[in-house]
């Protein structure tokens, strides 16, 4: 999942509006849960309607492909934990988008692609984070209504990478290390989830991707700093030339 390798940063992938899908119609329509991954991807492309980098496209595709199969299964239930996971993943992996507006727009289009109201997802994430802050692990597991509803489901909630990201975010909110002291096993048992092994694997993968993304961030910063130095040197030379300094004296 989220195999965002540094070399994938170079280049852009155009995302034209698919034939037969009206961009205006997608923007105005209420979200509908997609029937297939292809439908979700087309909805994203139609709503965003702009080129995205290869890494962003890879991120969007992975979230869709890891979420839609569970969402279309009988008995699937959306939870605020999923919403928090989606927002958290977007904050972590959309750093390459050109600015905050672009990141928010990508996140919004991804929500629509998954049949979710973008503003509701953001509100769910914020509300859940606020509910968790200041709580101990025991208090959160015992008192959070979201957890009670998950544990009370007739069948264990369908696991997705995004749900796992939400659980990890909540663990970190209450000072619990997901990879320490059996935390994942403990939380999954409390919530009647059968995904402890998968969540442990995904968390290890997530940490690996964070490290790779940090390397990419540093590479971008170095490139930006080098570009800024070149521009500054060029501007200084132009200023000296305009002031009458002979060209042979300008380094």
């Amino acid at each position: 999942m989220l195999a965002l390798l540094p070399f994938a940063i170079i280049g852009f992938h155009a995302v034209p509006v698919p034939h037969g899908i009206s961009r205006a119609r997608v923007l105005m329509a209420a979200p509908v849960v997609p029937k297939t991954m292809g439908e979700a991807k087309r909805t994203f492309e139609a709503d965003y309607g702009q080129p995205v980098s290869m890494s962003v496209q890879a991120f969007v595709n992975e979230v869709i492909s890891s979420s839609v199969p569970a969402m279309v299964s009988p008995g699937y239930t959306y939870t605020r934990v999923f919403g928090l996971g989606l927002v958290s993943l977007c904050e972590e992996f959309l750093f390459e988008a050109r600015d905050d507006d672009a990141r928010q727009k990508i996140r919004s289009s991804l929500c629509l692609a998954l049949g979710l109201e973008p503003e509701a997802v953001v509100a769910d994430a914020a509300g859940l984070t606020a509910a968790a802050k200041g709580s101990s692990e025991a208090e959160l597991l015992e008192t959070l209504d979201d957890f009670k509803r998950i544990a009370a489901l007739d069948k264990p909630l369908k696991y997705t990478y995004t749900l796992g990201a939400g659980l990890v975010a909540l663990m970190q909110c209450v000072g619990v290390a997901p990879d320490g002291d059996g935390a994942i096993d403990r939380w999954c048992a409390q919530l009647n989830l059968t995904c402890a092994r998968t969540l442990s694997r995904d968390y290890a993968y997530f940490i690996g991707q964070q490290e790779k993304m940090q390397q990419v961030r540093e590479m971008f910063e170095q490139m930006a700093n080098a570009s800024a130095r070149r521009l500054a040197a060029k501007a200084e030379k132009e200023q000296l030339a305009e002031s009458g300094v002979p060209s042979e004296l300008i380094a």
Side-chain angles (χ1 to χ4, degrees):
M1 294 193 185
L2 302 177
L4 308 180
L5 299 178
F7 64 78
I9 300 299
I10 307 301
F12 287 83
H13 171 70
V15 284
V17 176
H19 179 70
I21 294 183
S22 163
R23 173 169 165 75
R25 177 174 62 80
V26 172
L27 287 171
M28 294 170 58
V32 176
V33 176
K35 295 181 177 65
T36 65
M37 290 183 284
E39 181 180 321
K41 291 176 182 178
R42 289 191 294 273
T43 299
F44 174 84
E45 292 171 354
D47 185 69
Y48 192 65
Q50 301 177 41
V52 295
S53 69
M54 291 175 64
S55 66
V56 169
Q57 189 68 56
F59 169 74
V60 169
N61 289 346
E62 290 293 351
V63 170
I64 287 174
S65 63
S66 64
S67 300
V68 171
M71 298 177 79
V72 300
S73 63
Y76 174 80
T77 301
Y78 167 82
T79 69
R80 292 199 300 173
V81 180
F82 182 97
L84 174 59
L86 183 56
V87 171
S88 298
L89 289 173
C90 287
E91 290 176 351
E92 182 68 30
F93 290 104
L94 293 182
F95 70 92
E96 191 197 350
R98 64 179 180 273
D99 52 35
D100 287 340
D101 287 342
R103 280 185 282 274
Q104 292 176 15
K105 177 57 181 168
I106 293 169
R107 183 186 64 203
S108 175
S109 296
L110 183 54
C111 287
L112 290 173
L114 296 175
L116 304 172
E117 289 283 358
E119 292 182 1
V121 170
V122 174
D124 285 346
L128 194 52
T129 300
K133 285 184 177 179
S135 299
S136 67
E137 177 186 9
E139 289 171 341
L140 192 70
L141 289 174
E142 293 293 338
T143 65
L144 188 67
D145 287 340
D146 302 76
F147 283 173
K148 291 179 181 179
R149 285 192 286 271
I150 291 174
L153 293 173
D154 292 337
K155 294 182 179 180
L157 183 64
K158 289 283 186 179
Y159 175 79
T160 65
Y161 184 82
T162 306
L163 177 72
L167 290 172
V168 167
L170 287 171
M171 290 180 191
Q172 294 171 336
C173 275
V174 296
V176 172
D179 56 352
D181 194 27
I184 288 178
D185 287 335
R186 187 166 60 250
W187 280 50
C188 287
Q190 180 73 22
L191 301 180
N192 192 30
L193 297 175
T194 58
C195 58
R197 182 176 298 179
T198 303
L199 177 53
S200 296
R201 180 200 64 201
D202 284 350
Y203 179 68
Y205 189 87
F206 174 76
I207 293 301
Q209 293 305 307
Q210 277 188 320
E211 294 172 354
K212 288 181 180 179
M213 290 302 99
Q214 183 58 37
Q215 293 173 2
V216 174
R217 286 189 180 96
E218 292 173 358
M219 179 185 71
F220 279 174
E221 289 176 1
Q222 292 171 1
M223 292 170 62
N225 291 337
S227 177
R229 288 194 296 270
R230 286 195 299 270
L231 291 175
K234 180 180 178 182
E236 183 180 6
K237 289 180 180 179
E238 291 175 348
Q239 186 176 13
L240 289 173
E242 290 174 358
S243 64
V245 176
S247 59
E248 60 270 16
L249 298 180
I250 300 175

